[in-house]
Coordinates of all heavy atoms in Angstrom, one line a residue:
A44 N -0.5 62.1 16.7 CA -1.1 62.9 15.7 C -2.6 62.7 15.8 O -3.4 63.7 15.7 CB -0.7 62.4 14.3
A45 N -3.1 61.5 16.1 CA -4.6 61.3 16.2 C -5.2 62.2 17.3 O -6.2 62.8 17.2 CB -4.9 59.8 16.4
L46 N -4.5 62.1 18.5 CA -5.0 62.9 19.6 C -4.9 64.4 19.4 O -5.8 65.2 19.7 CB -4.2 62.5 20.9 CG -4.4 61.1 21.4 CD1 -3.4 60.8 22.5 CD2 -5.8 60.9 21.9
R47 N -3.8 64.8 18.7 CA -3.7 66.3 18.4 C -4.8 66.7 17.4 O -5.4 67.8 17.6 CB -2.3 66.6 17.8 CG -2.1 68.1 17.4 CD -0.8 68.3 16.8 NE -0.4 67.4 15.7 CZ -1.0 67.4 14.5 NH1 -1.9 68.3 14.1 NH2 -0.6 66.5 13.6
E48 N -5.0 66.0 16.4 CA -6.0 66.3 15.4 C -7.4 66.3 16.0 O -8.2 67.2 15.8 CB -6.0 65.4 14.2 CG -4.8 65.5 13.3 CD -4.8 66.9 12.5 OE1 -5.8 67.6 12.4 OE2 -3.7 67.2 12.0
L49 N -7.7 65.4 16.9 CA -8.9 65.3 17.6 C -9.2 66.6 18.4 O -10.2 67.2 18.4 CB -9.0 64.1 18.5 CG -10.3 63.8 19.2 CD1 -11.4 63.5 18.3 CD2 -10.1 62.7 20.2
R50 N -8.1 67.0 19.2 CA -8.2 68.1 20.0 C -8.4 69.4 19.1 O -9.2 70.3 19.4 CB -6.9 68.2 20.9 CG -7.0 69.1 22.1 CD -5.8 68.9 23.0 NE -4.5 68.6 22.4 CZ -3.9 67.4 22.3 NH1 -4.5 66.3 22.9 NH2 -2.8 67.2 21.7
E51 N -7.6 69.5 18.1 CA -7.6 70.7 17.2 C -9.0 70.9 16.5 O -9.5 71.9 16.4 CB -6.5 70.7 16.1 CG -5.2 70.9 16.7 CD -4.1 70.7 15.6 OE1 -4.4 70.4 14.4 OE2 -2.9 70.9 16.0
E52 N -9.5 69.8 16.0 CA -10.7 69.8 15.2 C -12.0 69.8 16.0 O -13.1 70.2 15.5 CB -10.7 68.7 14.1 CG -9.6 68.9 13.1 CD -9.7 67.9 12.0 OE1 -10.7 67.3 11.7 OE2 -8.6 67.8 11.3
T53 N -12.0 69.2 17.2 CA -13.3 69.0 17.9 C -13.2 69.5 19.3 O -14.2 69.6 20.0 CB -13.7 67.5 18.0 OG1 -12.8 66.8 18.9 CG2 -13.7 66.9 16.6
G54 N -12.0 69.8 19.8 CA -11.9 70.3 21.2 C -11.9 69.1 22.2 O -11.8 69.4 23.4
F55 N -11.9 67.9 21.8 CA -12.0 66.7 22.7 C -10.6 66.3 23.0 O -9.7 66.1 22.2 CB -12.7 65.6 22.0 CG -13.0 64.4 23.0 CD1 -14.0 64.5 24.0 CD2 -12.3 63.2 22.8 CE1 -14.2 63.5 24.8 CE2 -12.6 62.2 23.6 CZ -13.5 62.3 24.7
D56 N -10.3 66.1 24.3 CA -9.0 65.5 24.8 C -9.2 64.0 24.9 O -9.8 63.5 25.9 CB -8.6 66.1 26.1 CG -7.3 65.5 26.6 OD1 -6.7 64.7 25.9 OD2 -6.9 66.0 27.7
G57 N -8.7 63.3 23.9 CA -8.9 61.8 23.9 C -7.8 61.1 24.6 O -7.7 59.8 24.4
T58 N -6.9 61.7 25.3 CA -5.8 61.1 26.0 C -6.3 59.8 26.8 O -7.2 59.9 27.6 CB -5.1 62.0 26.9 OG1 -4.7 63.2 26.2 CG2 -3.8 61.4 27.5
G59 N -5.7 58.7 26.5 CA -6.0 57.5 27.1 C -7.3 56.8 26.6 O -7.8 55.8 27.2
K60 N -8.0 57.4 25.6 CA -9.2 56.9 25.2 C -9.2 56.2 23.8 O -10.2 55.7 23.3 CB -10.3 58.0 25.2 CG -10.6 58.5 26.6 CD -11.6 59.7 26.5 CE -12.0 60.1 27.9 NZ -11.0 60.7 28.7
L61 N -8.1 56.3 23.1 CA -8.0 55.6 21.8 C -8.1 54.1 21.9 O -7.5 53.5 22.8 CB -6.6 55.9 21.1 CG -6.4 57.3 20.5 CD1 -5.0 57.4 19.9 CD2 -7.5 57.7 19.5
D62 N -9.0 53.5 21.1 CA -9.1 52.1 21.1 C -7.9 51.4 20.6 O -7.2 52.0 19.8 CB -10.3 51.7 20.2 CG -10.8 50.3 20.4 OD1 -10.1 49.4 20.0 OD2 -12.0 50.2 20.9
R63 N -7.6 50.2 21.1 CA -6.4 49.5 20.6 C -6.5 49.0 19.2 O -5.5 48.8 18.5 CB -6.1 48.3 21.5 CG -5.7 48.7 22.9 CD -5.3 47.5 23.7 NE -5.1 47.9 25.1 CZ -3.8 48.2 25.6 NH1 -2.8 48.1 24.8 NH2 -3.7 48.5 26.8
R64 N -7.7 48.9 18.7 CA -7.9 48.5 17.3 C -7.4 49.6 16.3 O -7.7 50.7 16.6 CB -9.4 48.2 17.0 CG -9.9 46.9 17.6 CD -11.4 46.8 17.4 NE -12.1 47.7 18.4 CZ -13.4 47.7 18.5 NH1 -14.2 47.1 17.8 NH2 -13.9 48.5 19.5
R65 N -6.8 49.1 15.3 CA -6.3 50.1 14.2 C -6.7 49.5 12.9 O -6.9 48.3 12.7 CB -4.8 50.2 14.3 CG -4.2 50.7 15.6 CD -4.5 52.2 15.8 NE -3.8 52.7 17.0 CZ -4.3 52.7 18.2 NH1 -5.4 52.1 18.5 NH2 -3.6 53.3 19.2
H66 N -6.8 50.4 11.9 CA -7.0 49.9 10.5 C -6.0 50.8 9.7 O -5.9 52.0 10.0 CB -8.4 50.2 10.1 CG -8.7 49.8 8.7 ND1 -9.0 48.5 8.4 CD2 -8.7 50.5 7.5 CE1 -9.2 48.4 7.0 NE2 -9.0 49.6 6.5
F67 N -5.4 50.2 8.7 CA -4.5 50.9 7.8 C -4.9 50.8 6.4 O -5.3 49.7 6.0 CB -3.1 50.4 8.1 CG -2.6 50.6 9.5 CD1 -2.8 49.6 10.4 CD2 -1.9 51.7 9.9 CE1 -2.3 49.7 11.7 CE2 -1.5 51.9 11.2 CZ -1.7 50.9 12.1
Y68 N -4.6 51.8 5.6 CA -4.8 51.7 4.2 C -3.9 52.8 3.5 O -3.3 53.6 4.2 CB -6.2 51.9 3.7 CG -6.8 53.3 3.9 CD1 -6.7 54.3 2.8 CD2 -7.5 53.7 5.0 CE1 -7.2 55.5 3.0 CE2 -8.0 55.0 5.2 CZ -7.9 55.9 4.2 OH -8.4 57.1 4.3

Side-chain angles (χ1 to χ4, degrees):
L46 292 171
R47 178 184 48 76
E48 289 292 344
L49 182 66
R50 200 170 32 257
E51 288 175 0
E52 294 188 17
T53 70
F55 188 73
D56 181 359
T58 304
K60 294 179 175 63
L61 287 178
D62 194 292
R63 291 182 186 267
R64 287 175 280 184
R65 303 286 190 272
H66 180 83
F67 299 91
Y68 71 89

